[in-house]
Amino acid sequence: MRIHNIYYAADNASYILVARMKPSMAQGTTITYPFHIRMRALMLFFCCIFSLTLFSQQKERDSLEALVKQKQREKGFSVKDSTYIDLLNKLAYSQRFYKPERLLIISKEAKVYSASAAYDEGKTEALINLGYYYSDKGKFKAAISKFKAALDIAKSINDSDLMLSAQNNLAGEYSYKGDYSNALEGYLDGLEVAEKNENDLMRSIITENIAHLYASQNDFEQALFFYKQVKKINEGLKKPISSAETYANMGSIYADMGKLEYAMYNVNSSISVFEKHNITAWLAYAYEVKGKIYLKQKKYDWALFWYNQSEMLHKSLEDDRAEIDLLNGMAETYLGMGKDSISEQYAIKAFEISGKINFKEGKQKCAKTLYRIHKNKEDYATALNYHELFQELSDTISRTENKKSLSLLKTKSQYEKQKAELIIENEKQLATQRNYVNAALVILMIFIVVTFLVHRSEKIQKNLNEELRIKTATLEENEKELKNINQTKDKLFSIVAHDLRGPIGAFQGLLNLFKNGEIHKEEFMGFIPKLGNDIDHISFTLNNLLSWGQAQMNGLITKPTVISLDNLVKENINLLSETATTKSIKLISTIPENTMAWGDGDQTDIVIRNLISNAIKFTPNNGMVTIASRENDDHWEVAIRDTGIGMDEETQARIFDQNANITTYGTANEKGTGLGLSLCKEMVEKNNGMIWVESELKQGTCFFFTVPKAHKRYQQAS
């Protein structure tokens, strides 16, 4: 039986090329040539293929060596590189059955580098590799120590894959040692983790290793029970190599049970896969199982042939544990052929290897073979010694403690079977209660209908309440909007009453005086400049009122185009120049020509006019108003600076507030609507700009606003 190890793959094999034989040749059912001729031909064929396998084998290891050296030559190379450590671990593992001393050296290096790099995954893999080395040498205590250390680290970093690898190998080491109680406990712990993480590959491997424990106790029926579970898991995995490993082990079980046809079918199924994928270690095992099947049939020539194929592969491996069964099988074959001296050589060699690696099962089997050999030689004293040793080892392996541990699991599986039978019985009993269930269902349906009607009524009521809530919210919103409209109306009438009615009434009174002859023409002409200013004020106020009213009622509609800031400023300077001249105020623009912006021309025009008008309004006689611009990354910054009376910080904070209603007389008692700056703010922001003010009392004021630059894409759009 071959225990699964899990590390870089589902098996512990290295890959080499092996010739694939036809099943008919393997079983010897259609050959008509004399046996010795057939045997020589097959041996020659396998020898040719074996040389190819060695080349392929070495090539794979050389490839890993090359990758390691390539990594070492890289610029900035460090032994703490996790990729380099992973390569070392893989290289070490590839040496396991070929150069075990290199496995030891490289694994120690990887462990040291992993510790210095604080790379726990690499350290865990290195410890598992070291465990393999000591396991193959039969140093159970050292191997168990390494696997336990690896398991502890894997648990600390919560790496389930490494945890399962270490747990499986630790349990396997207890099995090699003959401590089946701890082995079973370890496998069950691993199985629990695999099931929790839904790792079906490890479920397959661990379950198969549990089956191996039963096989070692010759409880073949229970072993087959677990192998069938493994086959079911493998069907879902769809991994041919995993299935082939199971077939090989089942072939060995069936051979031990005497079901040789089943044994031959399973082992041939495994061989075809191992040969296809060049899996040397498992292929050597499968050949050995096939030799065992022929040995059971007492077809010694064919048994020896397949044992020889396995032996040939073992020459390229250093797998002492697997070689023991092979050598003992060859010893039994030569014993059956009557070649006792050759048989003894193989049996002694197997016995010595078993002793070297402390493998009790191997020593037990070899002791039995040596007993038979010495009995045939009539060396009864030596035969008795070997028989006593065989009996002692058998008692040790099958001690009550181990059997009890396995019986627990057997009881568990029997419980599962009984549980299934109880379920079937319960289903039969439930069938007799279906009438009661049907009656209960009718009552339940009535209850559901009533509940549905109640729920439906509640839902309707809930919908009505929601509809009422929405209508109430709508009414509240309409009420709020109506209040805003009333406020707008009140403000509009207030402005018309105070700022428009006064100048219009004065103009009307003056005309009536002139009409009635109460003033002369010369006197009337003297009032013309004042009348002109009043009309300009009325016009300006009306323009602001209309723009503000449209914004309040319908919202500002912005239609951006390419506009010339310098032209807009010039037009407004011309428009307001007479008002400025009246107060001897200089209007100066330093905006360069072709200062093109992207915005609504009318709205920008209103902003510029309001800001210049305000500057004139609050600048004393003989003052100056300057309009300048500055180009930024994506916008123009326009500044309108005056030498006026300025304003305090409180006024600056409220000046743009729509609800502030700040109306201040100018230096010449000019009137205002209180709308200009709030309207400017809204229009500037509609054109994706910003507006702000900087001012000091008696030092003057500067209003700034920004407007996006006209890029080429805007110009094309216009």
Side-chain angles (χ1 to χ4, degrees):
M1 210 53 49
R2 191 172 177 83
I3 293 181
H4 287 267
N5 298 124
I6 180 73
Y7 190 34
Y8 296 111
D11 54 83
N12 60 357
S14 296
Y15 304 125
I16 61 172
L17 181 63
V18 178
R20 181 178 177 180
M21 299 179 60
K22 296 180 180 179
S24 59
M25 291 179 67
Q27 296 177 37
T29 56
T30 60
I31 299 175
T32 57
Y33 295 104
F35 182 83
H36 67 281
I37 295 177
R38 300 199 303 269
M39 188 66 72
R40 288 176 182 174
L42 285 173
M43 289 296 292
L44 179 62
F45 178 75
F46 271 98
C47 285
C48 294
I49 294 302
F50 181 68
S51 62
L52 293 175
T53 64
L54 290 177
F55 173 75
S56 176
Q57 215 172 38
Q58 187 61 43
K59 186 177 179 182
E60 182 185 355
R61 294 195 295 277
D62 289 346
S63 176
L64 281 170
E65 292 270 14
L67 287 173
V68 169
K69 290 178 181 177
Q70 179 182 343
K71 194 69 181 174
Q72 291 170 342
R73 290 193 296 269
E74 287 181 359
K75 187 177 180 180
F77 163 75
S78 169
V79 294
K80 296 182 179 182
D81 186 348
S82 61
T83 306
Y84 176 68
I85 295 170
D86 289 341
L87 280 173
L88 282 182
N89 279 322
K90 289 180 181 179
L91 177 61
Y93 183 73
S94 71
Q95 307 294 324
R96 180 180 180 186
F97 297 116
Y98 306 99
K99 295 180 179 178
E101 296 307 318
R102 288 211 69 202
L103 163 65
L104 177 64
I105 294 169
I106 298 172
S107 298
K108 285 183 176 179
E109 285 182 4
K111 180 173 174 289
V112 171
Y113 298 154
S114 297
S116 64
Y119 181 39
D120 289 333
E121 289 84 351
K123 186 175 181 181
T124 305
E125 291 171 354
L127 284 167
I128 291 174
N129 272 337
L130 289 169
Y132 288 146
Y133 172 81
Y134 291 117
S135 174
D136 295 340
K137 295 296 183 182
K139 298 180 179 180
F140 302 122
K141 186 175 180 180
I144 289 171
S145 172
K146 300 302 179 186
F147 289 139
K148 279 185 175 180
L151 181 59
D152 289 340
I153 297 174
K155 285 180 178 178
S156 69
I157 62 176
N158 198 27
D159 189 319
S160 61
D161 289 336
L162 288 174
M163 199 186 308
L164 286 168
S165 175
Q167 184 72 62
N168 180 67
N169 287 310
L170 177 61
E173 199 59 29
Y174 281 123
S175 176
Y176 290 140
K177 186 181 176 184
D179 186 352
Y180 297 123
S181 176
N182 276 322
L184 178 58
E185 184 179 349
Y187 284 136
L188 289 176
D189 287 344
L191 194 59
E192 184 178 350
V193 175
E195 289 173 348
K196 181 180 178 182
N197 289 278
E198 297 181 354
N199 189 331
D200 287 340
L201 177 60
M202 283 307 303
R203 280 181 59 219
S204 169
I205 290 172
I206 294 174
T207 304
E208 188 159 354
N209 287 340
I210 290 173
H212 171 74
L213 292 181
Y214 285 101
S216 66
Q217 294 290 309
N218 296 325
D219 190 348
F220 302 122
E221 292 295 335
Q222 193 64 19
L224 281 175
F225 172 77
F226 283 99
Y227 275 125
K228 288 175 182 178
Q229 288 186 11
V230 174
K231 284 181 69 176
K232 194 171 183 179
I233 298 171
N234 287 344
E235 287 172 4
L237 287 172
K238 296 181 180 179
K239 290 184 178 292
I241 295 175
S242 296
S243 297
E245 292 166 356
T246 303
Y247 284 134
N249 277 332
M250 289 183 72
S252 180
I253 288 285
Y254 279 123
D256 290 333
M257 295 174 71
K259 297 182 178 181
L260 301 180
E261 291 183 3
Y262 288 103
M264 187 64 76
Y265 169 78
N266 279 278
V267 78
N268 282 339
S269 298
S270 71
I271 286 172
S272 63
V273 176
F274 296 145
E275 289 179 343
K276 178 180 179 181
H277 295 278
N278 304 323
I279 303 177
T280 313
W282 276 92
L283 186 59
Y285 169 67
Y287 286 163
E288 181 259 310
V289 172
K290 195 161 185 176
K292 179 168 72 172
I293 296 169
Y294 281 116
L295 178 61
K296 295 281 185 180
Q297 294 174 338
K298 297 185 179 180
K299 295 180 179 179
Y300 299 119
D301 290 327
W302 278 110
L304 189 59
F305 171 77
W306 288 107
Y307 280 135
N308 283 332
Q309 306 320 306
S310 180
E311 185 181 28
M312 188 182 300
L313 291 177
H314 271 284
K315 289 179 180 178
S316 65
L317 303 171
E318 287 194 30
D319 189 358
D320 290 339
R321 190 176 286 112
E323 194 175 6
I324 292 169
D325 280 341
L326 167 65
L327 295 173
N328 192 63
M330 295 182 75
E332 290 184 359
T333 302
Y334 280 116
L335 186 61
M337 297 172 74
K339 299 179 179 180
D340 292 8
S341 58
I342 300 176
S343 173
E344 185 177 3
Q345 293 175 14
Y346 279 101
I348 289 174
K349 185 177 179 182
F351 186 80
E352 289 173 349
I353 294 174
S354 299
K356 183 179 73 173
I357 65 172
N358 299 316
F359 189 35
K360 293 179 181 178
E361 287 186 28
K363 289 178 73 176
Q364 176 201 33
K365 293 177 182 178
C366 296
K368 183 178 179 181
T369 305
L370 288 167
Y371 157 72
R372 292 172 56 200
I373 293 170
H374 286 284
K375 184 180 177 183
N376 286 350
K377 292 168 61 176
E378 297 183 356
D379 184 356
Y380 298 114
T382 306
L384 181 59
N385 288 335
Y386 280 116
H387 185 272
E388 289 176 349
L389 179 60
F390 167 74
Q391 194 61 49
E392 179 186 343
L393 290 169
S394 298
D395 292 341
T396 302
I397 293 171
S398 302
R399 66 184 182 270
T400 304
E401 179 187 343
N402 291 324
K403 286 190 174 181
K404 281 182 179 179
S405 299
L406 294 176
S407 295
L408 290 175
L409 191 60
K410 185 174 182 179
T411 302
K412 181 182 176 182
S413 64
Q414 289 172 349
Y415 166 75
E416 295 294 337
K417 292 179 183 178
Q418 291 172 359
K419 183 179 176 182
E421 292 172 357
L422 285 173
I423 291 172
I424 295 172
E425 183 63 28
N426 287 336
E427 288 176 353
K428 291 179 181 179
Q429 292 178 3
L430 287 172
T432 62
Q433 300 175 5
R434 284 176 184 169
N435 292 333
Y436 298 105
V437 173
N438 290 335
L441 286 174
V442 172
I443 296 171
L444 181 62
M445 286 299 297
I446 295 172
F447 175 75
I448 290 172
V449 170
V450 173
T451 304
F452 171 75
L453 293 174
V454 173
H455 177 72
R456 184 171 176 270
S457 176
E458 290 177 351
K459 189 175 181 181
I460 292 171
Q461 185 64 40
K462 184 178 179 181
N463 290 337
L464 290 173
N465 290 338
E466 180 65 16
E467 187 176 348
L468 180 61
R469 187 192 65 78
I470 293 171
K471 288 183 178 179
T472 302
T474 303
L475 286 173
E476 290 174 353
E477 188 67 27
N478 290 339
E479 183 183 4
K480 183 178 179 182
E481 185 177 351
L482 183 60
K483 285 181 180 179
N484 291 334
I485 291 172
N486 285 333
Q487 289 176 356
T488 301
K489 179 198 69 175
D490 293 342
K491 189 165 188 177
L492 183 63
F493 284 138
S494 174
I495 292 168
V496 170
H498 292 85
D499 294 338
L500 294 181
R501 189 170 65 176
I504 292 173
F507 183 55
Q508 187 180 27
L510 187 63
L511 287 175
N512 286 334
L513 288 173
F514 180 71
K515 181 180 177 181
N516 295 330
E518 295 182 20
I519 61 171
H520 298 291
K521 181 179 179 180
E522 291 77 9
E523 291 177 309
F524 179 78
M525 294 301 294
F527 285 107
I528 290 298
K530 174 143 186 349
L531 292 176
N533 288 336
D534 287 346
I535 290 171
D536 288 342
H537 172 70
I538 291 168
S539 175
F540 189 76
T541 302
L542 280 174
N543 191 37
N544 276 354
L545 275 174
L546 290 172
S547 298
W548 176 78
Q550 182 185 20
Q552 293 298 310
M553 298 299 183
N554 303 319
L556 282 175
I557 300 174
T558 302
K559 296 179 179 179
T561 59
V562 176
I563 56 175
S564 174
L565 290 177
D566 57 306
N567 285 339
L568 288 177
V569 171
K570 286 177 183 177
E571 289 173 1
N572 280 287
I573 287 176
N574 292 333
L575 182 65
L576 298 171
S577 61
E578 187 174 343
T579 304
T581 302
T582 302
K583 299 177 69 173
S584 300
I585 294 172
K586 292 182 180 180
L587 296 178
I588 300 172
S589 173
T590 62
I591 297 179
E593 293 185 357
N594 297 320
T595 302
M596 311 306 290
W598 179 258
D600 188 300
D602 293 336
Q603 293 173 5
T604 307
D605 184 47
I606 290 172
V607 171
I608 293 172
R609 189 178 310 155
N610 269 280
L611 295 177
I612 295 176
S613 176
N614 278 350
I616 294 170
K617 177 180 175 182
F618 294 105
T619 300
N621 293 345
N622 300 313
M624 183 169 62
V625 175
T626 306
I627 302 97
S629 66
R630 186 172 68 178
E631 183 178 3
N632 292 320
D633 291 337
D634 57 355
H635 65 270
W636 292 101
E637 182 183 299
V638 180
I640 299 174
R641 187 182 302 277
D642 63 52
T643 58
I645 60 176
M647 65 183 83
D648 56 30
E649 291 183 359
E650 182 181 354
T651 304
Q652 292 180 52
R654 298 187 300 117
I655 199 167
F656 294 110
D657 190 351
Q658 186 175 0
N659 299 320
N661 198 18
I662 299 173
T663 303
T664 309
Y665 286 92
T667 56
N669 291 320
E670 299 99 326
K671 296 179 180 179
T673 63
L675 296 175
L677 291 177
S678 64
L679 185 63
C680 288
K681 181 177 186 296
E682 187 171 359
M683 288 183 172
V684 167
E685 289 176 351
K686 283 283 187 178
N687 285 274
N688 298 318
M690 296 173 59
I691 187 167
W692 68 96
V693 64
E694 294 177 1
S695 180
E696 291 185 23
L697 287 172
K698 300 180 181 181
Q699 297 296 320
T701 300
C702 185
F703 282 89
F704 300 89
F705 74 91
T706 62
V707 61
K709 292 170 66 175
H711 298 295
K712 291 183 179 180
R713 60 186 180 91
Y714 295 148
Q715 294 172 1
Q716 291 171 358
S718 64

